[in-house]
Amino acid sequence: MATKTIAPVTNDFYKIVTERRSIKKYDKTVKISREEMEEILTLATRAPSSINMQPWRFLVIESPEAKVKLAPLARFNQTQVETSSAVIAVFGDLNNFEKFEEIYGAAVDRGYMPLEVKEQIHASFSGYYETISREQMKDVVLVDGGLVSMELMLAARAYGYDTNPMGGYEKDQIAEAFGLDKERYIPVMLISIGKAADNGHTSVRLPIDQIAQWK
């Protein structure tokens, strides 16, 4: 059976970007379906990553039991946890190079690249990934995790939902609390998602002449 595609509410990129708000309180009666959540996450994974290793991993915390478990770990963000349709914990997988064959093998099979290019890429990077330190890899997955997180928030807005990125939580406990290997999976951020119960606040942005330079 073919999977039904749920169309985004809008494809207007300018509208998506300018109308995005960090929402703290959501309509508790609105539940995002599994199918729609999967489409939002799939769209988010169009984000770029270091040699396309896609180190992001998502934990969708949506059941009442899971939210109860999350609450003491995100005590500065209780309203978001309680009222959102879900909280998505974004992690970075330090062992992401294990997916090389799955990703690049599929690229060859689908005609996206010749086999020799895949082999050249593997030869160029396999040694690097074998010797890179944990801290260096952590830097990589945090950057890639940030990219996919922003893409996720924009994808959610396209589907008519709202989000709030959260950094105030127990980063040293969250992986283990949900059964993940904390030595392998690095927390990037929490993102609450749901239907806004208010319009949020319009915020000020610094003018470009203060933050950009041309040489």
Side-chain angles (χ1 to χ4, degrees), residues 197-212:
D198 56 46
N199 294 325
H201 301 288
T202 301
S203 55
V204 172
R205 293 297 186 268
L206 292 171
I208 293 301
D209 62 6
Q210 290 186 26
I211 61 173

Side-chain angles (χ1 to χ4, degrees), residues 72-103:
L73 303 177
R75 58 185 184 275
F76 301 113
N77 298 285
Q78 291 299 294
T79 302
Q80 295 96 310
V81 172
E82 292 170 7
T83 64
S84 63
S85 179
V87 176
I88 301 170
V90 182
F91 292 91
D93 183 0
L94 295 181
N95 295 356
N96 59 84
F97 198 69
E98 291 179 356
K99 295 289 186 181
F100 180 90
E101 186 58 42
E102 182 176 346
I103 294 169

Side-chain angles (χ1 to χ4, degrees), residues 35-55:
E35 293 75 19
E36 201 163 21
M37 189 72 82
E38 287 182 350
E39 291 202 10
I40 290 169
L41 293 173
T42 299
L43 191 57
T45 62
R46 300 301 299 175
S49 61
S50 180
I51 68 162
N52 196 32
M53 279 298 96
Q54 305 163 49

Side-chain angles (χ1 to χ4, degrees), residues 16 21 31 92 108 112 121 140 170 177 188-189 199 202-203:
I16 291 167
R21 300 283 186 273
K31 181 70 175 174
V108 172
Y112 299 164
I121 293 171
V140 171
E170 304 298 334
V188 178
M189 69 178 72
N199 294 325
T202 301
S203 55

Side-chain angles (χ1 to χ4, degrees), residues 2 9 13 24-25 46 49 69-71 91-92 95 101 107 113 115 120 126 129 138-139 144 159-160 167 207:
V9 172
F13 182 71
K24 312 294 185 185
K25 187 176 181 181
R46 300 301 299 175
S49 61
K69 185 180 293 186
L70 175 62
F91 292 91
N95 295 356
E101 186 58 42
M113 68 171 59
L115 177 61
Q120 288 169 4
S126 57
Y129 274 85
K138 181 178 177 181
D139 288 342
D144 292 347
Y159 277 81

Side-chain angles (χ1 to χ4, degrees), residues 56 90 140-151 153 188-189:
W56 40 71
V90 182
V140 171
V141 302
L142 286 175
V143 170
D144 292 347
L147 290 168
V148 81
S149 295
M150 188 68 250
E151 196 113 332
M153 289 184 279
V188 178
M189 69 178 72

